[in-house]
Structure formats: structure tokens, C-alpha cells
Amino acid sequence: MTQASHHIGTGTAQTGGLLEMYRRMRRIRRFEERASDLYKATEIPGFLHLSIGQEASAVGACWPLGERDGITSTHRGHGHVLAKGLDSASMMAELMGKDAGTCHGRGGSMHIADPGLGIYGANGIVGAGLPIAAGVATAAKLRAAGDVVVAFFGDGAVAQGMFHEAVNLAAVWDLPVVFLCENNHYSEFSPASEQHRAPLSARAAGYGIGYEHVDGNDVLAVAQTMTGVVARLRAGGGPVLVEAETYRWHGHYEGDPERYRPAEEVAAAKERDPLLVARRRLDAAAADAVDEEIDKEMEAAIEWARSLPEPAPETLHDYVSAPRLPIPEPAPLPADAEIFRSMDAVRLALEHELIADPRVFVAGIDVGAGGNVFGLTRGLAQAFPGRVRDTPISESAIVGTAVGAAMAGMKPVVEIMYMDFIGVCLDMLLNQAAKLRFMTGGRASMPLVVRTQFGAGRSSGSQHSQSLEALLAHIPGLTVVMPSNPADTYGLLRAAIQDPNPVVFVENRLQYGLKGLKPPADHLVPLGKAKVIREGTDITLVSWSRMVQDALAAAELLAVEGISVEVIDLRTIAPLDRETVLASLARTNRLVIAHEAVRDFGVGAELSAMAVDEGFWHLDAPVTRVAPPSVPAPYAPSLERVWLPSRDTIADTVRRIAAV
């Protein structure tokens, strides 16, 4: 379906266009009505949010869009994706949880997507589609192909911080995105008057972007407004906020008792039924023929969906992550290799990938003109104009932009300045980057990297010192990488950028000045593979990131005492290389784990559980962890020294376990 050629005019041309608009609205209406019936009959499991009454805003907004243009949707998104061109049969199968559904039964009603049609996902998180739309629009702007994006949202999403971050970023970057508010006057159960004090027109003015208001029940009016807006964006205009006033007939969800609004209000709204508004301008016989056509289409879709199997149990693990290309372990570096620092490794890896792949771009707070707070990206913005981009201080928009751009075919590398700030944008990692490939049945690709850094030991306090890898490693779908030396920093970062999965790449800022052997430019280190960096026979010592250096120092100290320590650098936290650790345990029969994150519920606990479960018969001593106590990182140096493990505390623990 290529809609960009549609023209909204008068007379016969207008009537022909309106009949097609009516057909699309009727398809949405019938789909939603039958979905409601099937939900009541328990043929559709899970949540169901219907858009009956809002058909005109969906169809009118998508009318001037072509296949390359994008949309993002909401939890009430059936109408949007149908209007953009997705077929009703595969959608019905998806709602029924069938393997032949749009997303192979992994997404259901709230998560339907097909990036191949420019549909970048309905979303169960209110407001989450807005930063993703900014990412899709960023991809469109970088390609300079004239594509636009429409981000649907409801009036309730205006209260979300993601709304502010996305609109502000789009304004600052002058992105080709339409933020289309379907104002149905209810935020779930609450009337809009109780949720907001400023109208959308004032908000648009505050962001310095355009604003349009339209009757959301009149499909011709919406189409005419959107045709003009989209034309301006294709010509290089910046973002526009469009408010389409409409009304949803059903409750917030199917089964909603709707005690929050009077029946008279709903009845009055139905007098402005978008389908009736359109029918009054159409030949009755033509409209009746469309009704009959759509009824047959929908019943055929339902019967087809009913006949299909559910996903087979053995496919449970499908679509969680994209297959990785195998990368061999690199050869040892020659002792006479040039010396460089970890901070050089970061910059050189980014530079290499920016040169090698035009899809790669870098974005984050002060990564452009400022060259990053640690100077890691200095000079890259000048070398790659437009591809190393400064952002506002908006972590959700930064990661959301990466998610949208990745789905749209780019390979973003975005920076969160401190690992502690991951909490500010956790939804975009937890519910978007990590899950969208799975929830879309593999339709959404997610090749993105989130770079961040951490490091205790310099009195940075509790909000700038946290090692939060356990939190991230607990999220299925995320890869978490934590290098310990300059060469691995270079090789792992390049591998992460080339990887088809979302990777959180965690550097330790206290190691930016660490010096080591410089690898060749083509150096790559495999993700998901630990490395034995010091062989030993008496005890296995596992660590990662900066603590590896303390582990090596402890092993050297203990060697003088006759204790042979095998040191393993995990390098990748998730997925965890169980085989390397268990193989070492089988040789030494003892295991100590040292890490900078607090002890309780950490990666060390996971390694301990693995050793007791899969390596139980090899154990000759208790599995022991060396880690800070469950106390926030202190500021005072005297307290931080006690809190943070060191070479000596690691060595003391190894001595004790070796003596058992």
C-alpha cells in the first residue's frame, strides 16, 4: 500500500478517497467489535484495549503515509496498525496467541509491530512510543530520504516524562516527526481535566514546534490536516504536535466497569460516530457494499486464525536474541606492541566503526562538541558531521532514540554518562530494547549499544559509584559487557557495535588511564566468552572489570606463598560463560568470586549457585564471595576504603579457602 499519492480534493476524487477511508475505518470497527466478542468468549487471552470510536484519527493520520514512513502506537493500537496497512488475519491470529500471528504469538494485543511496513510497535508502556518515534525519525533524517514518522499517543501520556523528553529532543534535532495526540478526554479512568492544567497548544509553543487542532471524528478533516503537515515535514519542516479530539466508546480495557463516566456522555459521543460522519457524505449503497465486504473479510480472518496451532513448547526460547556471528579468540599480542590507554581504546573503537559502517552513529550528553565528560569522543563530531550528536539531558529519550533507530536499520551507540543514571531510563532497556525482538516474534532488530561507566574509590558518593550489572544481567535479552583492560575494551566495544543484539557496555572510569598493549585495528573479542588470564591449580578466582586487576595482584602475592591461583576474567556478564568457569572449577576444586558490586543478590551469587548446582561434585571447599557489604557507596575516604574490596582482602579470602 502506497498512500503518499493520495490526494484530498473535492467532487469525485474526494468521494473516491472517502470511500476508501470509510473502508479502512469499517475494517478497524469490525475488527474491534469481533475482538470484543472473542475476548468475552475466552478465545482471546490477556489484556484487550479497543479503539472503537477513534477510527477516523487512525485512518486520517495514516492517509498521507507511504510504506517507508513510520508510526509508533500505543496499548490501544489495533486501529493504527490496520490503518498503516497490516492485514487483519495475522493480527487476529496474534490476538488469539497463534504461531502464525503477526508476532508469532509473542506480543499479543499491545505489542503488534511490523517494521517492514513502517510499524514500529504498539506498546504496553504509556508514552514509550514517543522516544522510539524520535529514533525512527533520527534514522529518517540521517538517510535524508524524505520519510516522516507519526507517533500516536493519548492525552494521558502527556503526563509522562518520556513525552517531554521525546518532544524536546525532536525539537532540538529538528526531526521529521508528527506527535499525534488522540485526545479521548480520559487517562484510563481519570478525566483529562484532572490530569493537566496546560493545553497542548501551549505545550507545543513551549517546545517551539508547530501545533494543529482537528476534529478527530471527521476522517476527511484529519486526512486534510495531516496531508499538509506531512508535506511540510517532507520539505524539511520540524516536528509538529497534532491534537485530534475524539472519544473511546468502550472502557479503558475490556471488562472495565466504567464507573467513572455517565452512560449519557457515551451516548452523546456516539452521535458523532466517525463512520456515520463519513457515511453521510457517501452513497448509501456503496457504503453498504463496503460493510458487507469487510464483514466477510473479518469472518474469514477469524476462521483462519481459529484453525491455526499455538506456538510449540520447544520454541519457547526463540526470538530472545539474534544469532551471533562467531568471533574467534584473538591471538596473544606481541610483547613489543605499542602501548595505549583504555580511554584511547574507546575512541579508536568508535572511530573504526563509524568509518566502517555508515549506519553507525553516536549520541549522548556532551559527546559531540564537548567530546564527552572524560574526553573519550574528542574530535569525532568534527570528523563525522551529523553522526556524533549531542543530546539534551534526557536519558529516556537517548535510549529510546537508540531503540527506534535500531529498529529502523541504524546501529546507534548511545552514552549514559554514569551507570547510576540507568535508573532514569530503565524502561527503555527493561521493556523496550531487551524485549522488542521477542515480543515481535523476531520482526524487530535491535543492534544498539548503550555505553556507560562506573567506578568506586574516588569519593564519588552513592549516586555516582554503583556497579549495577546484576540488575541489567537479570533482564532477558540484554547483553552486558564489562572489560578489564585496554585491548579488551577495544575488541569488545567493536564486537558490541557489530552485534545484532542490544548491548550495555560498561567501562570503569578509574581505568581510563590504564595502559596496556595496543592491538591491531581489526582486533575483535568474542562476546559471551570468559578468559583464563592466569593459569593455576589450587583455586579459581573469578572477577570482571577493574577488580580483575586486584585479583591478578592478589594471585601474584599468593604465588610467593605457594598458592597457585587461576584467574578468570568474565568480560561478558550476560550471557554468562558457564563452561569456562566450571571447567576451571573442575581443575582446582575451589572457587572465590570478587566483584565491586554489593555482595547480596549479585552476579557472584549467580556464579555461586551455578557452582553448587552444576559443579557440586568438584567442590572441596565453600564457594566464597569478596564484595562490598550491602551498604550504599560511602563518600568519606575512610569509609570507602573499608567498603571496597582490595588486593589484600581478596588475598585473605583466597588463603582461607585454600586452607580448607
Side-chain angles (χ1 to χ4, degrees), residues 455-461 465 509-510 596 628 633-645:
R458 295 286 175 85
S459 293
S460 296
S465 303
R509 67 176 172 275
L510 273 66
E596 192 169 320
Y635 170 75
S638 60
L639 297 177
E640 192 173 36
R641 282 192 297 271
V642 174
W643 179 83
L644 191 64

Side-chain angles (χ1 to χ4, degrees), residues 95 149 164 310 343 479 496:
L95 266 60
V149 183
H164 162 72
E310 295 180 337
M343 63 188 301
T479 295

Side-chain angles (χ1 to χ4, degrees), residues 266-609:
V266 179
K270 289 182 178 181
E271 294 179 6
R272 287 284 297 161
D273 180 349
L275 273 71
L276 290 179
V277 171
R279 278 188 72 109
R280 294 187 189 114
R281 299 168 176 159
L282 292 170
D283 175 76
D288 289 343
V290 167
D291 292 352
E292 183 178 352
E293 169 198 335
I294 296 300
D295 287 349
K296 290 178 179 177
E297 173 190 315
M298 212 55 61
E299 295 312 306
I302 292 168
E303 289 308 308
W304 177 75
R306 279 174 172 155
S307 71
L308 300 171
E310 295 180 337
E314 59 267 23
T315 68
L316 172 64
H317 296 275
D318 291 359
Y319 311 116
V320 176
S321 296
R324 293 197 151 97
L325 290 175
I327 296 174
E329 186 67 38
L333 300 176
D336 61 351
E338 184 182 345
I339 301 298
F340 80 149
R341 301 167 298 175
S342 290
M343 63 188 301
D344 303 321
V346 173
R347 182 182 57 78
L348 289 172
L350 293 173
E351 182 179 60
H352 190 288
E353 295 306 307
L354 282 162
I355 292 171
D357 192 338
R359 296 172 297 174
V360 174
F361 72 93
V362 176
I365 301 163
D366 295 326
V367 301
N372 167 275
V373 68
F374 300 103
L376 305 181
T377 58
R378 196 166 293 153
L380 292 181
Q382 292 74 29
F384 302 95
R387 294 174 60 201
V388 180
R389 308 175 69 87
D390 283 324
T391 68
I393 303 176
S394 303
E395 283 82 4
S396 289
I398 291 168
V399 181
T401 293
V403 170
M407 280 200 286
M410 304 298 283
K411 301 185 81 170
V413 183
V414 297
E415 179 182 301
I416 299 300
M417 190 179 289
Y418 283 79
M419 194 179 193
D420 313 72
F421 305 164
I422 288 290
V424 181
C425 58
L426 186 58
D427 175 72
M428 283 295 153
L429 287 170
L430 169 68
N431 286 317
Q432 312 303 329
K435 293 184 173 66
L436 282 175
R437 186 176 196 278
F438 179 79
M439 291 192 303
T440 63
R443 287 182 181 267
S445 59
M446 202 57 60
L448 65 88
V449 175
V450 177
R451 279 188 51 252
T452 190
Q453 55 78 28
F454 79 110
R458 295 286 175 85
S459 293
S460 296
S462 299
Q463 294 179 346
H464 287 75
S465 303
Q466 296 169 89
S467 186
L468 301 173
E469 64 270 21
L471 183 154
L472 298 171
H474 192 68
I475 302 171
L478 284 186
T479 295
V480 183
V481 178
M482 299 181 75
S484 69
N485 61 73
D488 280 357
T489 298
Y490 178 84
L492 286 167
L493 181 52
R494 285 195 59 227
I497 296 170
Q498 293 179 21
D499 198 71
N501 297 293
V503 179
V504 182
F505 192 90
V506 186
E507 301 143 17
N508 190 298
R509 67 176 172 275
L510 273 66
Q511 287 195 306
Y512 282 143
L514 179 68
K515 295 179 180 179
L517 298 175
K518 182 179 180 180
D522 62 355
H523 185 71
L524 286 171
V525 177
L527 302 180
K529 297 293 182 183
K531 185 178 182 181
V532 176
I533 57 174
R534 189 186 196 281
E535 294 184 349
T537 57
D538 295 332
I539 195 161
T540 297
L541 176 56
V542 179
S543 191
W544 52 94
S545 191
R546 187 174 69 95
M547 198 64 69
V548 167
Q549 305 302 326
D550 289 321
L552 284 170
E556 293 293 332
L557 185 68
L558 293 164
V560 178
E561 303 172 21
I563 301 173
S564 178
V565 180
E566 182 152 293
V567 180
I568 295 177
D569 182 354
L570 278 187
R571 303 192 298 193
T572 299
I573 309 304
L576 185 62
D577 183 355
R578 301 170 184 272
E579 292 77 11
T580 297
V581 176
L582 289 170
S584 179
L585 177 59
R587 292 190 294 270
T588 68
N589 308 116
R590 287 170 170 80
L591 178 63
V592 172
I593 304 140
H595 56 75
E596 192 169 320
V598 294
R599 181 176 185 269
D600 294 1
F601 308 101
V603 177
E606 179 63 27
L607 288 164
S608 301

